[in-house]
């Protein structure tokens, strides 16, 4: 049974709202052009991670999940359930909504998409489009049909260190000057509601998906309840940003490592980790792996215990046990 972490090579996506911060902030070798998304841990066919080290070097995460189920605590589902990205919004993203599991399965053969953001950077005055003001489905449909976006769309100011949970059915969009670590269900279904009347690369407006968007938007919008808790472990801190029952699909934690932080698998199936600040190392089964900002890896199920050392900030997550 492997006793190695699985370090993963990121995949980059060009976006009209992207920029160059993924190179300058994380040292990634990114392609030319406005790069908006780093798919850091992904088994999704639109950008699959490849293992960079150890026994499984060169293998992609989708086939590894299928071929070596013991690494993932023998899951029932056929696809890797979570997707981790870093998003660099240099411009506004389209105002959008994602379907839940039932709608996505029926119409797209995909999982639904509940997502959440840990804000890594935000310029002064930065805000998200988040939620809406319509009191009824009729009011929502009318305001969409009439393009009353200023009246309809909610705004949420954000700053570095904020955490925002975005259940499927929530209208949302990043706007310029924001960088986030996104934890989401592994899905690429987006219904675009409003694109600020911009033109795409081909000189035409990007496609909107008003009918399915209206089908899946939750009315009325209510702020999701998110109960956070922090635990001090020596000089280090473990903060649970979201967990069931607030979030049925996944748990997300922030680890602030000072000196040393020992972790155990416990009842987790496996753990997705993103090092987002600082430097240090990871020790697994007597072997050490240097860690720095911008690295993403999975601790597979056979690893019972591991230790982080140094001065590090990580966001970690795991799918809800038994869910997949
Ligand atoms: Zn989204």
């Amino acid at each position: 049974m492997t006793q190695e972490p699985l370090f993963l090579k990121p995949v980059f996506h060009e976006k009209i709202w992207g920029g160059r911060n993924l190179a300058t902030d994380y040292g990634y070798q990114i392609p030319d052009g406005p790069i908006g998304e780093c798919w850091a841990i992904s088994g999704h066919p639109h950008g699959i991670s490849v293992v960079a080290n150890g026994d499984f070097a060169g293998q992609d995460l989708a086939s590894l999940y299928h071929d070596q189920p013991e690494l993932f605590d023998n899951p029932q589902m056929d696809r890797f359930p979570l997707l981790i990205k870093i998003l660099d919004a240099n411009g506004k993203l389209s105002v959008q909504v994602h379907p839940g599991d039932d709608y996505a399965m029926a119409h797209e053969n995909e999982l639904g998409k509940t997502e959440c953001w840990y804000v890594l950077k935000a310029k002064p005055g930065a805000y998200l489009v988040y939620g809406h003001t319509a009191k009824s489905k009729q009011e929502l449909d009318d305001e969409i049909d009439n393009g009353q976006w200023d009246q309809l769309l909610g705004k949420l100011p954000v700053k570095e260190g904020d955490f925002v949970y975005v259940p499927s059915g929530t209208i949302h969009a990043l706007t310029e000057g924001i960088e986030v670590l996104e934890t989401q269900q592994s899905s690429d279904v987006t219904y675009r509601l409003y694109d600020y009347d911009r033109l795409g690369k081909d000189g035409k407006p990007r496609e909107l998906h008003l009918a399915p968007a209206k089908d899946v938007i939750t009315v009325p919008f209510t702020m999701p309840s998110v109960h956070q808790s922090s635990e001090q472990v020596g000089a280090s801190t473990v903060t649970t940003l979201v967990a069931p029952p607030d979030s049925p699909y996944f748990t997300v934690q922030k680890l602030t490592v000072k000196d040393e932080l020992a972790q155990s698998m416990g009842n987790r199936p496996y753990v997705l980790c993103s090092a987002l600040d600082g430097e240090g190392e990871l020790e697994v089964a007597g072997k050490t792996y240097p860690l720095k900002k911008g690295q993403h890896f999975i601790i597979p199920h056979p690893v019972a215990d591991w230790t982080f050392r140094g001065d590090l900030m990580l966001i970690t997550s795991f799918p809800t046990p038994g869910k997949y």
Side-chain angles (χ1 to χ4, degrees), residues 37 85 87 93-94 96-98 113-115 117 166 170-174 182 184 189-191:
E37 300 193 354
K85 300 178 186 174
L87 307 183
L93 277 75
S94 59
Q96 55 187 257
V97 62
H98 307 298
K113 188 164 154 183
T114 282
E115 61 192 23
W117 297 321
V166 188
T170 307
I171 295 178
H172 64 280
L174 296 175
E182 180 174 79
Q184 57 160 98
V189 182
T190 296
Y191 298 138

Side-chain angles (χ1 to χ4, degrees), residues 123-135:
K123 69 169 191 185
Y127 67 93
L128 307 173
V129 173
Y130 189 76
H132 65 80
T133 57
K135 299 283 178 290

